[in-house]
Amino acid sequence: MAAEGGLQQKPVERVLISAGTGGLDESAAEGAARDVAGRMAALAEVESVSAPIWSADRTAVRVDVTMKGPELDGKKHVEPLIAQTDAVRAAYPGLRVEQTGSPSISKGIGELRSKDLARTEMIALPVTLITLLVVFGSIALAVVPLLLALSSIVAAVGLSMVASHMFPDAGIGTNVILLIGLAVGVDYTLFYIKREREERARAGGRLSAQAIVELAAATSGRAVVLSGIAVAVSSATLYLADDVIFSSIATGAIVVTLVAVVSSLTVLPALLAKLGERAQRRAARRGRPARSERSTAGYGRITGALLRMTSRHPVRTLAVAVLGMLALAAPLLGLNLTDMGRETHPREIPAMRSYDRLNAAFPELKSMHQVVVRAGADRAPQVSDALRDLARRMAADPRLASTAQLRTSPDGRISMLELAVPHHVSTDEARTSLRDLRRVHVPATVGALAGVETAVTGDVARYADYPEHQKGKLPAIIAALLLVTFAMTAWAFRSVVLGLVGVVLNLLSAAASLGLVVVVFQRSWAEGLLDFTSTGSIGSRVPLFLFVILFGLSMDYQVFVISRIREAVLAGAPTRRAVLDGIGSSARVVTSAAFVMVTVFASFVGLHIIEMKQMGFALAVAVLLDAVVIRILILPALLLLLGERTWWPSRGSRPVPPVDAAERTLAQVG
């Protein structure tokens, strides 16, 4: 409504002038303010410049600079303004001359985020390479997953530029591509290489490198395709949020996942075939069979012990593990979702330190209510009178400043009353004043006029309304995710039971990880450990991001593990033996892939921006719980109890055989 009348919020920078040391020289400050105003007015990026405005105690003076263009574009054009402020600072060394505002703060956040991400990459890449070296015992095979992931990321960044012409990008698409690309790229390559090595060991030198890769493609290739489709479709549910940030996340995740799938089906098999041929030729020259790389198959000590316990006591294992996960999820009942207001941004950004000093000198700038009215042009005088009455009412409210400004569009159809709120948007004073403004004061004044449309926006309203918007969208998105998880699993394995199992297990891991986020970030005990200041809340975007990304990525493990179990069942093995063999043989690669993903996500905990810190922590914990508790304890226990009913309706129930060879193998692990 405000934009319709040309009254929308504009990008505003404020130059604050105060004493460097000692008392303020008012004449020097006045001269510096005039210098700032003159320099800013000459810039092509500037629409208007205010006269110098003194603080109530005359310890500071400010100049407000309104920039041209939309508010969100201000950060792209703020550099010339900063340069002029720097020049004035140099000309008045005895004064503190500094600049802050939405554009400069946004610019500072972008620069800090880029530095943080570069640091996380420096951590994640070496740890990933070391993990792969441990898994494969081969430098060549360890480098392959990393190269595939990085090439997929580069390709996806390029394709996302094309996609941005159709889908809006809030500027975080590249961050998401880095986060998801490294995770799925390494995952898919690990799954594929593991199967290729198993087929090579089984062939015993009797098959060519191409034939071995084709055998791997017939099994792990299918699992990669199913997993990639699941991640892409799960990510697409974020479009339901009707939010530009989540649309950016969805687009980035979909593009990089599909690129990783295509790479795994084309570049990876070709590369493995070439490496295999080279190994065979080298072996032929030496006159002995090609050396088989160290196998990744077989149970590890810890996995074997856990599976042995699960096979002997499935009911007890299932009960204890589920109760433990529910206990971790219990704090979710106290979840407090809020938008992370500007005051939560890290003070490493110079514009945020200036923001604090500006608010100390001019507390009325902390936040604002804006009452917007749309009516016929002939009603403009009546609307203005009602808004002035509203301003008089609010002037008596101790939660608000006495500052109020009334503006009307040139055609007289749109009017806006701006009310200064000397409190940050997250405070009770700001939020309760918004509630009373909407429920009491507006209806009693301008809202009582017939045929007039009213609405309240502003800083406080954005802070209050955005989380409510997310809460409203969350049920629909979770329902869509559950439907996608069920449909994909049921279709892939021809089993309604497995579809339901997938839904329940994903909900359990997501709820448990979100409960841990509440314990860590809504309280203050971990502030020193993780370097943050608790806001007593969780960012409103975190649950949606966690649910969608986790549901997609957990399908990697689900598809890979269940595929191995189903292969054994279709080959004639009883479900009990298939479960133990399938989970045991895939445990090493699943835990290795999970370790890589946990490392990538955990590196985001070191970021300065608290919402990204919460997202990284949530995903790291969720993947860890999913790979260890869900896949090694709960899933096998549940499948052992279900027995042949696991495959309903595609396969009838059969009697469960007695103790089998798989259990004898487990008994020897140790």
Side-chain angles (χ1 to χ4, degrees), residues 11-14 67 71-72 74-76 78-79 82 99-113 340-359 365-366 424 609:
V12 176
E13 285 289 286
R14 293 186 167 96
M67 300 175 64
E71 182 183 13
L72 292 177
K75 62 182 178 182
K76 301 175 184 177
V78 73
E79 195 62 46
I82 295 174
Q99 180 178 326
T100 188
S102 293
S104 54
I105 290 174
S106 296
K107 182 177 181 295
I109 289 173
E111 292 173 350
L112 181 61
R113 183 166 54 204
M340 290 299 166
R342 189 181 302 166
E343 69 272 16
T344 67
H345 294 328
R347 266 51 188 179
E348 284 80 2
I349 302 171
M352 283 306 303
R353 297 195 291 271
S354 300
Y355 171 82
D356 290 337
R357 286 188 284 268
L358 177 72
N359 287 329
L365 298 178
K366 288 182 178 178
H424 288 302
I609 300 170

Side-chain angles (χ1 to χ4, degrees), residues 184 188 225 228-229 232-233 252-264:
V184 299
Y188 298 162
V225 171
I229 293 174
V233 175
I254 291 170
V255 170
V256 75
T257 300
L258 295 181
V259 170
V261 169
V262 172
S263 298
S264 299

Side-chain angles (χ1 to χ4, degrees), residues 72-73 75-76 113 156-177 239 243-253 255:
L72 292 177
D73 287 346
K75 62 182 178 182
K76 301 175 184 177
R113 183 166 54 204
V157 169
L159 290 173
S160 69
M161 302 296 180
V162 178
S164 67
H165 291 283
M166 296 174 286
F167 301 96
D169 184 6
I172 62 172
T174 301
N175 300 339
V176 174
I177 288 172
Y239 289 121
D243 179 275
V244 66
I245 292 177
F246 283 121
S247 294
S248 300
I249 293 173
T251 303
V255 170

